[in-house]
Amino acid sequence: MAYTLKEIAELVGGAIIGIDQVLIRGINSLADAKEGEISLYADRRYEKELKETKASALLVAKVTDAYHGPQVVVPHPALAHARVAQLFSSPHPRFPGISERTVVHETSIIGTNPSIFPLVYVGEKARIGDEVILYPGVFVGDRVRIGNKTVIFPNVTILPDCVIGNEVVIRAGTVIGSDGFGFIRDGRRNVRVPQLGIVQIDDHVEIGANNCIDRAAMGKTWIKRGVKTDNLVHIAHNVVIGEDTLIAAQTAIGGSAHIGKEVVIGGQVAISDHIRIEDRVMIGSQSGVAKPLGPGEIVSGSPAMAHRLWLRTSGIIPRLPDLSERLRKLEKKVEGLANPSKSEKAE
Amino acid sequence: MAYTLKEIAELVGGAIIGIDQVLIRGINSLADAKEGEISLYADRRYEKELKETKASALLVAKVTDAYHGPQVVVPHPALAHARVAQLFSSPHPRFPGISERTVVHETSIIGTNPSIFPLVYVGEKARIGDEVILYPGVFVGDRVRIGNKTVIFPNVTILPDCVIGNEVVIRAGTVIGSDGFGFIRDGRRNVRVPQLGIVQIDDHVEIGANNCIDRAAMGKTWIKRGVKTDNLVHIAHNVVIGEDTLIAAQTAIGGSAHIGKEVVIGGQVAISDHIRIEDRVMIGSQSGVAKPLGPGEIVSGSPAMAHRLWLRTSGIIPRLPDLSERLRKLEKKVEGLANPSKSEKAE
Amino acid sequence: MAYTLKEIAELVGGAIIGIDQVLIRGINSLADAKEGEISLYADRRYEKELKETKASALLVAKVTDAYHGPQVVVPHPALAHARVAQLFSSPHPRFPGISERTVVHETSIIGTNPSIFPLVYVGEKARIGDEVILYPGVFVGDRVRIGNKTVIFPNVTILPDCVIGNEVVIRAGTVIGSDGFGFIRDGRRNVRVPQLGIVQIDDHVEIGANNCIDRAAMGKTWIKRGVKTDNLVHIAHNVVIGEDTLIAAQTAIGGSAHIGKEVVIGGQVAISDHIRIEDRVMIGSQSGVAKPLGPGEIVSGSPAMAHRLWLRTSGIIPRLPDLSERLRKLEKKVEGLANPSKSEKAE
């Protein structure tokens, strides 16, 4: 697999400075790039690596003097990087057909060109689309439906009746459709509220590793088209997440929360039950969101506040001992002004 | 499966307003309910859905004018909902007997009426009770004991010597009995402290998905009767958790912490090593608990403080820039009062 | 397995007070120790248990009057405990050879004396060293390399091309080499950045249960010799972690962060992308680290600050309502001093 720099420049809509017939066989970081590989320079923190790189060409936002090989100038280097990396990425490894060492219940229907590895379990009346890959250790519960070209990584559990769309990716160890955490106190005991609903995951969603997405108490927990989650994310029962929303690692979304589309949620965020987050909101890492957020709001902190305000308050928090001391001194001084004689005696 | 509204009202101890012979075949949310289904109205946030619902009957706390079908008035609608949902919930899917495509060591003893799916591994000298369900991908280590009617979901790992009670549920991907995080520095290297103990889980406990409950260094990590945990919870070595305690998602409980009974712990809480939490404490989400808590305390925040106090302090934090500015102005003003001439010159 | 107290004292370099020929058959906590077991007393919180213990001998930092059996005085009781516990810990259970009920691709190479349990999957061209244990449910991807004496617990997923060293332990449910969370916005859609790199884990590393360690976008995510992680830890793409660093449960390390050696990171910490943490830093639980940290810094809080400062600020936070009220009163008082007549009228 090799491409001329000209071909690559055309793919990313860039302008070449230098020789355009260099052959490119891979993409790599500045530090690790070998001859024949292209790299990316878009961040000054990597100036040192730039000077020492062995890359045969660069994607850049603007021409740099510190590199003497050919450069492809692009408006958006990170996007260009993604496109070039796609050229050199391998397809997911496939098993040819359905392994004899796997268990597929006879009442289930599998589409064309399947890739079902050994040690998979597919329950009763499941419907699996075309060109689906199920890796070892995957559990597909009864009546689960999976669309076309979806990839389910090892040791994923998809519990009964859940619905997974087309071209979805679910990464290793994730659990889809576990019962929501629904308990009601009856005296001192906790009575389980049966979780009768499902999880529905729409097309082009990617779920990270070791996520937990719980089935709805009634109706569905719904992850809409294009949502991407990082690792170890918890999504409780009856949550709805809008199109193209991004959720970073270890975030927890409470029961029945509604998240809009194109929202960006940082890592280790907690969103309370029943909260509504509108479209295009951005939430900083470790935030605690217990109140609704309007369209486009940018928040941080726990409890969450406007990000700009949080920058200021979080700058003041380390100065609290100083503020406290200044207040104490000022009280004393004012006391002295109010009662001059007493104050003098005290001193 | 259908019940008259009269039967349902009797089950939940409710009073019917309207026709009591309506046939109910399911329960659903206000928005999703179809004809023949009962729903629940107990929260004003769902007033819109109430007006548009197609449910054939409602469970309500008090009669509402916005719905014209029959209503069952109950003192505790959420509990009534749980009871009615139990009527319509399916039993866990079962495998008839022990699959030939599973591995059960010949020295292990399995009780009556087992349901051991394909692709399960049961090690040596394990003792598994009656009517236990082990789903695909479950690992049961040597000498593990599991009580009657316990259900272990797919891809759960139960490491050697652990003891699981009766009617326990362990959800998918959870790890029971992994070695605790015990290391001692010896110079610059970390020396492992062998973890010689076990995990004991008592009757009626439910553990969520992708939890980690570590074995004790010595003795046992002990989850007592009726405890319920949500997803992605971490419970370190030698922790003891009292009866009927609830733990929400992504909470971490440090080594040797003792948690009382009927405690309620929110999501993403951190409890430090060796801390003692007494009975019926309530801990808000994202709290950091580094000090012991007495019976019935209600705390929030990191570091945790009385919940009422936390409500006030968390309201002040966003006002810190304002407070800081007011203090600065006041200092200047007091300076002016103390040194009137100097102050005038400065201006 | 029994040792005289003399043998034990020699192992830990301790001095015996009392009879040195007592036979010791195990080690246990003060509360659980039975006759023939040694225990440990090093923490006053366990004074009550000390008085009631049935242990036949004790490891102590200094002689105690509250116990009448033989005592072994050692400079570092916790380290002595670790050494004695190693005497009594069982080796990892082994399967003799390679199970017929496992799948190892014919192009893979397995070293001498393997222990590959049933229900394991090893892909193409993998290279597995000598005396490796792979438990049921383990997935080893194509071209993965695993060193000698490494132990992979049940239901672990190691994705293609990753490199695992010698004497590494990876605990149950962990995912190594999942794709990093790399997406670039192209208009409203999120375009995946292919993750072309690997994860490299060096010798003597121990990874806890249900961790996620993502492969690099390019190059490698690198966990160096002797690192130990607790459960549910997230390590993003291109992170580098230095030798002998400890990471407690539920911590998340953002993409391309560089962590030095002998660093100690508490539980539920978040470290932002691209941050550099130097050697021997200590980070308290629930901290949020968004700025680089120099060698040996000790920090806590979110945002992280010097630990000493954090102790003071976290003590002031619960007093904020009081501070706010005092400021308000002082403003009024100063107003009265500045405008005596007006103030009198107001009253």
Side-chain angles (χ1 to χ4, degrees):
Chain A
M1 229 169 20
Y3 302 84
T4 62
L5 194 59
K6 186 153 180 275
E7 288 170 314
I8 285 174
E10 279 165 10
L11 173 75
V12 301
I16 300 176
I17 311 298
I19 302 158
D20 66 1
Q21 289 304 313
V22 184
L23 270 186
I24 301 299
R25 298 175 191 283
I27 184 164
N28 213 331
S29 63
L30 289 166
D32 295 329
K34 296 174 291 290
E35 209 189 299
E37 291 180 329
I38 192 168
S39 191
L40 169 81
Y41 177 67
D43 184 337
R44 280 193 190 176
R45 280 179 289 205
Y46 295 96
E47 212 164 4
K48 185 169 163 286
E49 285 85 350
L50 172 67
K51 286 174 185 165
E52 297 169 358
T53 189
K54 290 175 180 147
S56 293
L58 285 190
L59 299 167
V60 296
K62 56 180 188 175
V63 179
T64 169
D65 288 345
Y67 177 78
H68 304 295
Q71 302 178 30
V72 181
V73 184
V74 290
H76 191 345
L79 186 56
H81 163 218
R83 294 238 169 92
V84 176
Q86 282 162 2
L87 283 183
F88 297 108
S89 72
S90 318
H92 297 296
R94 294 178 59 85
F95 186 88
I98 301 175
S99 167
E100 288 183 2
R101 303 181 80 161
T102 220
V103 178
V104 178
H105 198 276
E106 59 185 6
T107 56
S108 285
I109 298 167
I110 312 288
T112 61
N113 199 15
S115 175
I116 306 191
F117 279 74
L119 308 175
V120 168
Y121 178 89
V122 178
E124 300 181 20
K125 296 181 187 166
R127 278 162 46 195
I128 295 181
D130 300 338
E131 295 182 51
V132 165
I133 305 178
L134 304 181
Y135 283 103
V138 166
F139 172 89
V140 176
D142 298 344
R143 296 171 304 281
V144 164
R145 283 152 51 192
I146 298 180
N148 300 323
K149 295 188 180 174
T150 284
V151 179
I152 314 288
F153 275 90
N155 294 321
V156 165
T157 299
I158 304 175
L159 290 150
D161 297 298
C162 292
V163 177
I164 315 289
N166 301 300
E167 299 187 43
V168 169
V169 175
I170 302 182
R171 299 196 183 280
T174 281
V175 178
I176 306 290
S178 196
D179 273 15
F181 195 60
F183 294 95
I184 297 290
R185 288 254 163 172
D186 184 12
R188 297 183 155 195
R189 299 294 177 94
N190 300 298
V191 175
R192 170 157 276 292
V193 183
Q195 304 288 300
L196 306 175
I198 64 161
V199 173
Q200 177 181 321
I201 295 181
D202 291 348
D203 299 348
H204 300 286
V205 167
E206 290 193 39
I207 303 295
N210 281 345
N211 280 217
C212 297
I213 306 183
D214 284 352
R215 68 179 53 237
M218 298 183 289
K220 65 191 175 195
T221 303
W222 190 6
I223 314 297
K224 295 189 183 175
R225 186 194 49 71
V227 167
K228 316 291 181 190
T229 73
D230 200 350
N231 299 326
L232 294 162
V233 168
H234 164 73
I235 299 178
H237 48 186
N238 290 87
V239 166
V240 177
I241 301 184
E243 289 84 355
D244 299 312
T245 283
L246 294 171
I247 303 176
Q250 293 184 338
T251 280
I253 302 184
S256 300
H258 277 234
I259 314 292
K261 61 185 180 185
E262 297 164 42
V263 170
V264 178
I265 306 179
Q268 290 188 347
V269 169
I271 296 177
S272 298
D273 294 357
H274 291 280
I275 293 298
R276 179 174 286 271
I277 310 283
E278 300 293 343
D279 298 346
R280 282 176 291 282
V281 163
M282 299 181 74
I283 304 176
S285 308
Q286 291 191 317
S287 297
V289 181
K291 291 182 183 160
L293 296 172
E297 282 196 60
I298 302 174
V299 301
S300 288
S302 179
M305 62 193 83
H307 181 70
R308 276 162 184 271
L309 176 58
W310 178 82
L311 285 178
R312 291 170 64 208
T313 60
S314 64
I316 291 171
I317 287 171
R319 289 169 39 215
L320 281 177
D322 172 53
L323 257 66
S324 171
E325 179 59 17
R326 280 163 55 199
L327 180 61
R328 200 189 57 77
K329 281 190 182 155
L330 200 60
E331 284 173 329
K332 205 173 164 189
K333 198 164 184 177
V334 170
E335 189 58 29
L337 290 173
N339 304 296
S341 57
K342 198 173 154 192
S343 164
E344 272 161 35
K345 266 184 271 178
E347 284 167 22
Chain B
M1 229 168 21
Y3 302 84
T4 62
L5 194 59
K6 186 151 181 275
E7 289 171 313
I8 286 174
E10 279 164 10
L11 173 75
V12 299
I16 299 176
I17 311 298
I19 302 157
D20 66 1
Q21 289 304 313
V22 183
L23 269 186
I24 300 299
R25 298 175 190 283
I27 184 164
N28 213 333
S29 64
L30 288 165
D32 295 329
K34 296 175 291 290
E35 209 189 302
E37 291 180 327
I38 193 168
S39 193
L40 169 80
Y41 177 67
D43 184 337
R44 280 197 190 172
R45 281 178 291 205
Y46 294 96
E47 212 164 5
K48 187 169 162 286
E49 286 84 351
L50 172 66
K51 285 175 187 163
E52 296 169 0
T53 190
K54 290 174 181 151
S56 293
L58 285 190
L59 299 167
V60 295
K62 54 178 191 175
V63 179
T64 169
D65 288 345
Y67 177 77
H68 304 295
Q71 302 178 31
V72 181
V73 184
V74 289
H76 191 345
L79 186 57
H81 164 218
R83 295 240 166 90
V84 176
Q86 282 162 2
L87 283 184
F88 297 108
S89 73
S90 318
H92 297 297
R94 295 177 58 84
F95 185 88
I98 302 175
S99 168
E100 288 183 2
R101 303 182 79 161
T102 220
V103 177
V104 178
H105 198 276
E106 57 185 7
T107 56
S108 284
I109 297 166
I110 312 288
T112 61
N113 199 15
S115 175
I116 306 191
F117 278 75
L119 309 175
V120 168
Y121 178 87
V122 178
E124 300 181 19
K125 296 180 187 166
R127 278 163 46 195
I128 295 181
D130 300 339
E131 296 182 52
V132 166
I133 305 178
L134 304 181
Y135 283 103
V138 166
F139 172 88
V140 176
D142 298 344
R143 296 172 303 282
V144 164
R145 283 152 50 192
I146 298 180
N148 300 324
K149 296 190 179 172
T150 283
V151 179
I152 314 288
F153 275 90
N155 294 320
V156 165
T157 298
I158 304 175
L159 290 150
D161 298 298
C162 292
V163 178
I164 315 289
N166 301 301
E167 298 187 44
V168 169
V169 175
I170 302 182
R171 299 197 184 280
T174 282
V175 178
I176 306 291
S178 197
D179 273 15
F181 194 61
F183 294 95
I184 297 290
R185 289 253 164 171
D186 183 12
R188 297 185 155 193
R189 299 294 176 92
N190 301 299
V191 175
R192 171 157 275 292
V193 182
Q195 304 288 302
L196 306 175
I198 64 159
V199 174
Q200 177 180 321
I201 296 181
D202 290 347
D203 299 348
H204 300 287
V205 167
E206 291 195 36
I207 303 295
N210 282 344
N211 280 217
C212 297
I213 305 182
D214 284 352
R215 68 178 54 236
M218 298 184 289
K220 65 190 177 196
T221 303
W222 190 5
I223 315 297
K224 295 188 182 176
R225 186 194 48 70
V227 167
K228 317 290 182 187
T229 73
D230 200 349
N231 299 326
L232 295 162
V233 168
H234 164 74
I235 298 177
H237 47 186
N238 290 86
V239 167
V240 177
I241 302 185
E243 290 84 354
D244 299 311
T245 283
L246 295 171
I247 303 176
Q250 293 184 340
T251 280
I253 301 184
S256 299
H258 277 236
I259 314 292
K261 62 185 182 187
E262 297 164 43
V263 171
V264 178
I265 306 178
Q268 291 189 347
V269 169
I271 296 177
S272 299
D273 293 357
H274 290 281
I275 294 299
R276 180 175 286 272
I277 310 284
E278 301 292 345
D279 298 347
R280 283 176 290 281
V281 162
M282 299 181 73
I283 304 176
S285 308
Q286 292 192 318
S287 297
V289 181
K291 290 180 185 161
L293 295 172
E297 283 196 61
I298 302 175
V299 300
S300 287
S302 179
M305 61 194 83
H307 181 70
R308 277 161 183 272
L309 176 58
W310 178 83
L311 286 178
R312 291 169 63 206
T313 60
S314 64
I316 291 172
I317 286 172
R319 288 170 37 215
L320 281 177
D322 172 52
L323 257 65
S324 171
E325 179 60 16
R326 279 162 54 200
L327 179 61
R328 201 189 57 80
K329 282 192 181 150
L330 199 60
E331 283 173 328
K332 205 173 163 188
K333 197 163 184 177
V334 170
E335 190 58 29
L337 289 173
N339 304 295
S341 58
K342 198 173 153 191
S343 164
E344 273 162 36
K345 267 186 270 177
E347 284 168 24
Chain C
M1 230 170 16
Y3 302 84
T4 62
L5 194 59
K6 186 152 180 275
E7 289 171 314
I8 285 174
E10 279 164 10
L11 172 75
V12 300
I16 300 177
I17 311 298
I19 303 158
D20 66 0
Q21 289 303 314
V22 183
L23 269 186
I24 300 298
R25 299 175 190 282
I27 184 165
N28 212 334
S29 63
L30 289 166
D32 294 329
K34 295 175 292 289
E35 208 188 302
E37 292 180 328
I38 192 168
S39 192
L40 169 80
Y41 177 66
D43 185 337
R44 280 196 190 173
R45 281 178 289 206
Y46 295 96
E47 213 166 4
K48 184 168 163 286
E49 286 85 351
L50 172 67
K51 287 175 186 162
E52 297 169 0
T53 189
K54 290 174 181 150
S56 293
L58 285 190
L59 299 167
V60 295
K62 53 178 191 175
V63 179
T64 169
D65 288 345
Y67 177 77
H68 305 295
Q71 303 178 30
V72 181
V73 184
V74 290
H76 190 345
L79 186 56
H81 164 219
R83 294 240 167 89
V84 177
Q86 281 162 4
L87 283 184
F88 297 108
S89 72
S90 318
H92 296 296
R94 294 177 58 84
F95 186 89
I98 302 176
S99 168
E100 289 184 1
R101 302 182 81 162
T102 219
V103 178
V104 178
H105 199 275
E106 58 185 7
T107 56
S108 285
I109 298 167
I110 312 288
T112 60
N113 199 14
S115 175
I116 306 192
F117 278 74
L119 308 175
V120 168
Y121 178 88
V122 178
E124 300 181 19
K125 297 179 188 166
R127 278 161 46 195
I128 295 180
D130 299 339
E131 296 183 50
V132 166
I133 304 177
L134 304 181
Y135 283 103
V138 166
F139 172 89
V140 176
D142 298 344
R143 296 171 304 282
V144 164
R145 283 153 50 193
I146 298 179
N148 300 323
K149 296 189 179 173
T150 283
V151 179
I152 314 289
F153 275 90
N155 294 320
V156 164
T157 298
I158 304 175
L159 290 150
D161 298 298
C162 292
V163 177
I164 315 290
N166 301 300
E167 299 188 43
V168 169
V169 175
I170 302 182
R171 299 198 183 280
T174 281
V175 178
I176 306 291
S178 196
D179 273 14
F181 194 61
F183 295 94
I184 297 289
R185 288 253 164 172
D186 184 12
R188 297 184 154 195
R189 298 296 176 94
N190 301 299
V191 175
R192 170 158 276 290
V193 183
Q195 303 288 301
L196 306 174
I198 63 160
V199 173
Q200 177 181 321
I201 295 181
D202 291 346
D203 299 348
H204 300 287
V205 166
E206 290 195 37
I207 303 295
N210 282 343
N211 280 216
C212 297
I213 305 182
D214 284 351
R215 67 178 54 237
M218 298 183 289
K220 66 191 176 197
T221 303
W222 190 5
I223 315 297
K224 294 188 182 176
R225 186 194 47 70
V227 167
K228 316 291 182 190
T229 73
D230 199 348
N231 300 326
L232 294 162
V233 168
H234 164 75
I235 298 178
H237 48 186
N238 290 87
V239 166
V240 177
I241 302 185
E243 290 83 355
D244 299 311
T245 283
L246 295 171
I247 304 176
Q250 294 185 339
T251 280
I253 302 184
S256 299
H258 277 235
I259 314 292
K261 62 185 181 188
E262 297 165 41
V263 171
V264 178
I265 306 179
Q268 290 188 347
V269 168
I271 296 177
S272 298
D273 294 356
H274 291 281
I275 293 298
R276 180 174 286 272
I277 310 284
E278 301 293 343
D279 298 346
R280 283 176 290 281
V281 162
M282 298 181 75
I283 304 176
S285 307
Q286 291 192 319
S287 297
V289 181
K291 291 181 182 160
L293 295 173
E297 283 196 61
I298 301 174
V299 301
S300 287
S302 179
M305 62 192 83
H307 181 70
R308 277 161 183 272
L309 176 58
W310 177 82
L311 285 178
R312 291 170 64 208
T313 61
S314 64
I316 291 172
I317 287 172
R319 288 168 37 214
L320 281 177
D322 172 52
L323 257 66
S324 171
E325 179 60 16
R326 279 161 56 198
L327 179 61
R328 200 189 58 78
K329 281 190 181 153
L330 199 61
E331 283 172 330
K332 206 172 164 189
K333 195 163 187 177
V334 170
E335 189 58 30
L337 290 174
N339 305 295
S341 56
K342 199 172 152 192
S343 165
E344 274 161 34
K345 266 186 272 178
E347 282 168 25

